[in-house]
Amino acid sequence: MKLFNLSGKVALITGGNGGIGLAMAKAIGEAGASVIIAGRNENKNNESIEFLKGFNIECKSFKVNVVDEVSCKKLINDVVNDFGKLNILVNNAGTNIRKRPEEYELGEWKSIIDTNLISMFTCSKEAYKHFKNISGGKIINIGSMHSLFGAPLGSAYSASKGGVVQLTKSLANTWAQDNIQVNAILPGYIDTELTRQARIDIPQLQKRVEERTPVGRWGVPEDLGGIAVFLSSQGSDFITGTAIPVDGGYSING
Ligand code: NDP
């Protein structure tokens, strides 16, 4: 369907070399876009490119450390040099260190804010001038259930993901006149490397999430594919500044 057809578009997914990012990259690529994934780990980058090529997706990877402004700027400029333009930026790279608030070293706490929040600003700011050149663009920021709730062992993660929602609204408000739509996705509990350790640390977590989630299961990365395509596409041109839970109903179950 034309509304959701991404042929001719160029999409960059930070942290696209695994988990949710890779699933979104595959869905966006299958909708027709050229896909660029970017992470620190070059082995994971290369493996992901091989995976995407298996679906006939035009793709390339770049090494980036999103906490480094210079690295983010270089990434966006390399993408535009190689592909001629950038249409879609998915700010997905993220991390967590789970501790009680009083146990964090300040450096650890700040590293989570840098990775999950400040990198979104850096990459979005750099992408803006390229979006302006082609009179529009799409930014998708990955939040969390902890954009809504406070994680007892995640004060930095919750602060960063809460910030993602407000940053999304602010950028959306400013850049609406430039035909740039900025939206956030709030995934529920998804089975990835990030949550695997959490389930080891908190043995009840697996069951607790299943019980609270109306659809009765954990999410899988592929559950995020549809929303990623939608928010990248012409079908969402009048939607901006939103934060959409993709959580099997977790957030509406009191
Ligand atoms: P993964 O650990 O599988 O993916 C995290 C990705 O981020 C990796 O590709 C990693 O690549 C990249 N990354 C981390 N730090 C950096 C950095 N400094 N520079 C560049 N890339 C970086 O976890 P998920 O797929 O679960 O997480 C993806 C996003 O989804 C995150 O923002 C996370 O907070 C969010 N999320 C996840 C949920 C879940 O239940 N899994 C729920 C809600 C939100 P590399 O290691 O190569 O750098």
Side-chain angles (χ1 to χ4, degrees):
M1 187 191 288
K2 185 173 174 290
L3 262 185
F4 306 112
N5 184 350
L6 301 180
S7 298
K9 305 289 184 189
V10 177
L12 167 63
I13 297 101
T14 69
N17 66 16
I20 291 173
L22 183 56
M24 291 191 294
K26 175 173 175 276
I28 290 171
E30 285 187 315
S34 303
V35 164
I36 299 96
I37 57 163
R40 292 165 302 182
N41 184 320
E42 289 187 288
N43 288 336
K44 273 165 61 185
N45 286 351
N46 293 336
E47 282 168 19
S48 302
I49 289 299
E50 286 312 307
F51 170 76
L52 292 172
K53 282 185 175 160
F55 298 91
N56 292 322
I57 294 169
E58 189 193 2
C59 56
K60 185 166 181 176
S61 70
F62 288 100
K63 187 175 178 176
V64 70
N65 185 349
V66 295
V67 302
D68 177 358
E69 185 185 7
V70 174
S71 182
C72 291
K73 284 184 170 176
K74 184 174 179 326
L75 167 67
I76 306 262
N77 286 301
D78 284 349
V79 168
V80 174
N81 284 338
D82 272 31
F83 289 83
K85 60 176 180 170
L86 177 67
N87 301 101
I88 300 153
L89 168 65
V90 184
N91 286 311
N92 164 76
T95 193
N96 195 10
I97 301 170
R98 299 178 48 264
K99 285 186 175 178
R100 291 177 58 84
E102 66 275 19
E103 289 169 355
Y104 281 103
E105 298 294 337
L106 187 58
E108 289 176 324
W109 207 89
K110 282 182 172 170
S111 73
I112 297 167
I113 305 287
D114 279 341
T115 308
N116 295 359
L117 179 60
I118 295 180
S119 70
M120 285 191 179
F121 174 71
T122 313
C123 290
S124 301
K125 182 182 167 204
E126 196 58 28
Y128 174 72
K129 61 182 180 221
H130 299 294
F131 289 157
K132 279 278 280 182
N133 284 342
I134 55 169
S135 305
K138 301 277 188 184
I139 299 178
I140 302 171
N141 295 328
I142 306 305
S144 160
M145 287 296 99
H146 298 296
S147 299
L148 308 172
F149 308 120
L153 299 180
S155 53
Y157 191 78
S158 296
S160 69
K161 293 296 187 180
V164 167
V165 172
Q166 291 307 108
L167 175 66
T168 299
K169 290 179 187 171
S170 179
L171 298 181
N173 201 348
T174 317
W175 291 343
Q177 295 295 320
D178 299 307
N179 189 32
I180 298 165
Q181 291 83 48
V182 189
N183 290 289
I185 299 172
L186 312 183
Y189 283 82
I190 313 294
D191 180 14
T192 68
E193 248 176 57
L194 197 68
T195 49
R196 239 155 260 157
Q197 189 58 43
R199 275 172 287 169
I200 293 167
D201 295 345
I202 315 170
Q204 328 82 290
L205 186 63
Q206 176 78 33
K207 194 154 176 284
R208 219 165 60 201
V209 169
E210 281 165 10
E211 283 172 357
R212 178 170 167 167
T213 305
V215 305
R217 65 168 175 88
W218 276 61
V220 291
E222 291 70 25
D223 287 321
L224 281 299
I227 188 85
V229 171
F230 173 59
L231 291 178
S232 297
S233 75
Q234 191 192 329
S236 61
D237 278 357
F238 199 55
I239 299 174
T240 198
T242 58
I244 303 176
V246 179
D247 64 351
Y250 182 94
S251 58
I252 48 97
N253 201 358

